[in-house]
Amino acid sequence: MTNETVTTTTQAWQNFSHSLAPYGVVSASETFYYSPWYDLVYESMSGSGKPDGEYLLITSRLLSRNTVANNYSQVAQVLIGTNASFNTIAGGRASHFGADSAGLNPAWRNAVVETVCGVFWDEDTSSTDIRGMIHQLQGWIQTMYDVTPNDGAYFNEASAFEVDWPYTFFGAHYSTLKSIKDKYDPYRMFVVTEGVGSED
């Protein structure tokens, strides 16, 4: 990836991050190059010190270039209180193919940033406190959906509480994927929560 490509694909994010300054939010960004992709995954997954997992629920949103360029103020106001992390995902070969070239959520083709936020708790947290955190997460999900209804979420970094999950996870491809599911798995032998056909 050239420096020009990096600049072009991150400009919308830079504008968004600068818009947070009036709220006292300071951000910095770095670009990392990994080849092969495995090195990135290994580096990010290793050394957490928690090989047995964590108690957490997360949600994500794939923010389109249009959302970041034209709705950044509302999005910023929502995300400030969530301690969200941001992953720039624009550019690369995925953006060179049409949205209907695969079953992939079309939101990936238009996204420039993925936001991820969540709630975490310790093993000894009371059930009342956990329910409160889940309620808080549901509020963030609803508010982000209200602000970005045409964007989507990454299925693997999302919540079972997502609003309009067929569109959020699969976009306009859902009906096609559902017809394939109906044809090859009519008895629903293979079902996951909020996966294609799980509403039946």
Side-chain angles (χ1 to χ4, degrees):
M1 185 181 294
T2 66
N3 287 336
E4 181 181 356
T5 301
V6 171
T7 300
T8 301
T9 58
T10 60
Q11 189 60 58
W13 162 249
Q14 296 296 337
N15 294 343
F16 175 74
S17 63
H18 293 315
S19 76
L20 301 177
Y23 300 100
V25 177
V26 179
S27 65
S29 63
E30 282 184 82
T31 301
F32 298 94
Y33 299 90
Y34 290 89
S35 183
W37 181 253
Y38 172 82
D39 292 344
L40 169 62
V41 175
Y42 179 78
E43 182 177 304
S44 65
M45 297 295 186
S46 64
S48 70
K50 294 186 177 182
D52 56 344
E54 297 179 280
Y55 298 98
L56 67 99
L57 291 174
I58 62 173
T59 183
S60 68
R61 203 75 182 156
L62 296 166
L63 302 181
S64 67
R65 181 176 301 277
N66 182 59
T67 293
V68 173
N70 299 310
N71 204 13
Y72 58 84
S73 180
Q74 283 184 285
V75 171
Q77 288 178 15
V78 174
L79 295 176
I80 283 173
T82 68
N83 292 318
S85 64
F86 302 87
N87 302 306
T88 302
I89 55 175
R93 298 300 302 164
S95 63
H96 292 243
F97 296 92
D100 295 326
S101 63
L104 178 74
N105 187 342
W108 275 108
R109 306 289 187 197
N110 301 319
V112 292
V113 171
E114 178 198 28
T115 66
V116 181
C117 63
V119 293
F120 309 81
W121 60 89
D122 294 322
E123 188 171 334
D124 60 352
T125 303
S126 72
S127 60
T128 301
D129 288 344
I130 292 171
R131 281 193 299 273
M133 286 184 258
I134 291 171
H135 181 72
Q136 179 182 43
L137 180 71
Q138 289 172 309
W140 292 342
I141 291 168
Q142 183 65 59
T143 304
M144 275 302 288
Y145 176 82
D146 292 343
V147 173
T148 64
N150 297 317
D151 293 339
Y154 173 32
F155 191 88
N156 203 40
E157 293 176 352
S159 169
F161 302 114
E162 298 295 340
V163 178
D164 188 15
W165 64 264
Y167 184 83
T168 295
F169 293 142
F170 305 101
H173 292 162
Y174 189 79
S175 59
T176 301
L177 295 169
K178 178 76 162 41
S179 66
I180 295 169
K181 178 77 169 176
D182 291 342
K183 179 178 180 179
Y184 292 102
D185 187 17
Y187 301 109
R188 299 301 186 257
M189 296 294 293
F190 305 100
V191 178
V192 298
T193 301
E194 296 187 347
V196 175
S198 65
E199 74 277 22
D200 293 343

